[in-house]
Amino acid sequence: QVQLVESGGGSVQAGGSLRLSCAASTYTYCMAWFRQGPGKEREGVAVITDRGVTKYADSVKGRFTISKDTANVTLYLQMNSLKPEDTAMYYCAADPGPYCSTLRRDLRYWGQGTQVTVSS
């Protein structure tokens, strides 16, 4: 069992930045950030493997960076140049593998989410 607790959400104006954190009880092969906007399906934002390989959704490439602090067992999502369409509940997720992709929605472990609101 992996416990995940997100923090760092909030309200920001378009063009601003936020950093989300996810405190994990342990790391697994695949750690990820997902989001679900109003009236939208949950979508993968970024993933990182145990070896540090990262993948991003096209909509956030060049603006978001996923990283992890191995010592503190914390996952991060640095979000820059935020847009109103980035408004969503952001979820941290984890899975033992073997696949790690933003296209997967069936990851085994999920946090409760943290809200990000971007105003124009």
Side-chain angles (χ1 to χ4, degrees):
Q1 190 75 11
V2 178
Q3 282 78 45
L4 303 167
V5 180
E6 304 95 335
S7 62
S11 297
V12 64
Q13 289 191 328
S17 298
L18 282 174
R19 189 175 81 156
L20 305 183
S21 299
C22 172
S25 58
T26 186
Y27 278 127
T28 61
Y29 166 70
C30 182
M31 305 290 293
W33 287 99
F34 279 70
R35 68 184 181 186
Q36 187 166 13
K40 299 181 180 180
E41 294 185 347
R42 188 172 294 189
E43 64 172 347
V45 174
V47 300
I48 186 167
T49 70
D50 59 347
R51 295 190 175 188
V53 176
T54 59
K55 301 175 186 177
Y56 296 90
D58 288 343
S59 59
V60 306
K61 281 181 182 176
R63 300 189 298 122
F64 290 12
T65 303
I66 189 171
S67 62
K68 59 183 180 178
D69 180 336
T70 303
N72 294 320
V73 201
T74 303
L75 183 71
Y76 300 102
L77 184 68
Q78 178 66 44
M79 305 186 294
N80 299 328
S81 302
L82 282 161
K83 305 175 181 180
E85 51 264 44
D86 294 318
T87 294
M89 184 71 79
Y90 282 72
Y91 298 90
C92 176
D95 195 274
Y99 303 109
C100 195
S101 168
T102 57
L103 299 179
R104 282 192 66 191
R105 299 181 190 177
D106 61 343
L107 276 68
R108 186 172 299 182
Y109 306 107
W110 292 85
Q112 294 299 307
T114 185
Q115 178 68 38
V116 171
T117 302
V118 184
S119 59
S120 58

